[in-house]
Amino acid sequence: MSPTPAILTDTTLCTSCEECVAACKAANGLGADVPRRGKARIDDLSPTRYTTMVRREGGRFVRRLCRHCLEPACVSACLVGALQKTPEGPVIYDPSRCMGCRYCLTSCPFGIPRYDWEQPVPFVRKCTMCYERQKRGEPPACTAACPYGATIFGDRDELLHLARQRIQAEPGKYVDAVLGESELGGTSVLYISDVPLDFLAFAPDLDDRPLPALTWAALSKVPPLVVGVTGLMAGLWWITGRRNALAAEASRRRPEPTPAAAPGPEEGGRCK
């Protein structure tokens, strides 16, 4: 079995310096953050921020990004294959295939993808784990930029082994779990932490079963619905078009009104 690329984040080493955020922006040409749709906060995930620092009460910051699930619900929810799970592991996006249904946004259990509403032709935006860099043999920009080793890149099995070693070496320091190891079928972004990470959607009772089977159970009913709705819309379009055409034809056949004759001198006002 070929290695599965993954990222391990140790929250106890993170200082929230945001070097990872800056490196991600530079690597993807994301530009400056701006308020979105009247919202004052600019530090949430957005089309200009594929990774960010999430603040928990008590001052703890934890990095948030796409989890690159081993069996991603967003991919199974995409009707046109715009989102794809690559053989190497990262979940990538092809905007040329996207039809804008946004099913991926609602299907993601971690609430990651964002829609670029500010563009005339909006697309989905999310982390791709620097897939193009990986193909060149380079690590993701965010992991290469971290000055404290709080987020590192490597083979998933090796990172899981390292994470367990750290937990066993200091059992009083960490929550006894490698988050992302098995939740919802497992993810390629792993965390070890000294605080619960339920605010990153890692709820304590999160099921280990992958979501695509559940997603497809609902989406399998979509094609007949799409066909039915498409037929209905086509019928309405034809009826409306036919009605407009008949109205235009009737308007052309209606005789033009005879212009009123100009009043003669005898009909005009007389001088007194």
Side-chain angles (χ1 to χ4, degrees):
M1 182 180 296
S2 59
T4 299
I7 293 173
L8 172 64
T9 293
D10 185 338
T11 67
T12 68
L13 301 176
C14 180
T15 65
S16 188
C17 66
E18 289 211 349
E19 289 294 327
C20 55
V21 176
C24 175
K25 283 178 165 293
N28 292 285
L30 300 182
D33 295 317
V34 294
R36 300 284 168 179
R37 288 189 170 268
K39 296 181 180 179
R41 289 188 57 193
I42 61 173
D43 58 348
D44 191 10
L45 292 176
S46 72
T48 59
R49 185 175 278 243
Y50 292 174
T51 185
T52 193
M53 307 304 297
V54 179
R55 186 179 186 276
R56 181 182 172 86
E57 291 184 10
R60 172 58 51 84
F61 287 85
V62 180
R63 191 159 83 94
R64 186 183 187 194
L65 70 159
C66 175
R67 307 293 200 279
H68 296 278
C69 302
L70 301 185
E71 298 185 53
C74 62
V75 172
S76 70
C78 184
L79 301 174
V80 293
L83 282 159
Q84 303 170 24
K85 178 73 173 177
T86 63
E88 297 83 1
V91 177
I92 61 173
Y93 171 70
D94 182 355
S96 68
R97 296 187 177 191
C98 183
M99 66 178 185
C101 68
R102 302 189 294 281
Y103 285 161
C104 56
L105 275 67
T106 58
S107 66
C108 176
F110 301 108
I112 298 299
R114 292 294 186 271
Y115 207 55
D116 194 353
W117 292 104
E118 306 300 322
Q119 299 300 320
V121 181
F123 291 118
V124 174
R125 304 293 185 188
K126 64 174 281 300
C127 158
T128 62
M129 204 189 282
C130 287
Y131 180 56
E132 295 301 323
R133 285 175 58 97
Q134 287 193 46
K135 290 197 295 185
R136 299 194 299 266
E138 302 173 14
C142 58
T143 61
C146 182
Y148 305 104
T151 186
I152 57 178
F153 177 73
D155 172 58
R156 188 174 186 272
D157 289 339
E158 294 177 0
L159 292 178
L160 283 170
H161 180 68
L162 173 61
R164 295 189 194 103
Q165 282 186 327
R166 291 188 184 181
I167 293 172
Q168 291 171 3
E170 299 182 83
K173 179 179 180 180
Y174 296 97
V175 174
D176 188 16
V178 182
L179 296 175
E181 179 176 10
S182 60
E183 289 82 0
L184 300 177
T187 68
S188 294
V189 175
L190 309 167
Y191 294 86
I192 53 175
S193 175
D194 57 341
V195 296
L197 298 183
D198 54 324
F199 61 104
L200 291 184
F202 281 115
D205 57 349
L206 199 61
D207 202 316
D208 288 351
R209 292 178 300 171
L211 286 180
L214 301 176
T215 305
W216 184 245
L219 287 177
S220 62
K221 299 176 178 56
V222 169
L225 178 62
V226 170
V227 171
V229 171
T230 301
L232 174 62
M233 296 303 293
L236 291 174
W237 176 85
W238 184 88
I239 292 171
T240 303
R242 180 64 177 165
R243 181 183 300 165
N244 292 339
L246 291 174
E249 182 66 19
S251 178
R252 286 195 298 270
R253 292 181 178 181
R254 188 179 300 124
E256 294 291 334
T258 304
E266 68 281 1
E267 298 175 2
R270 297 180 179 178
C271 297
K272 296 182 178 179

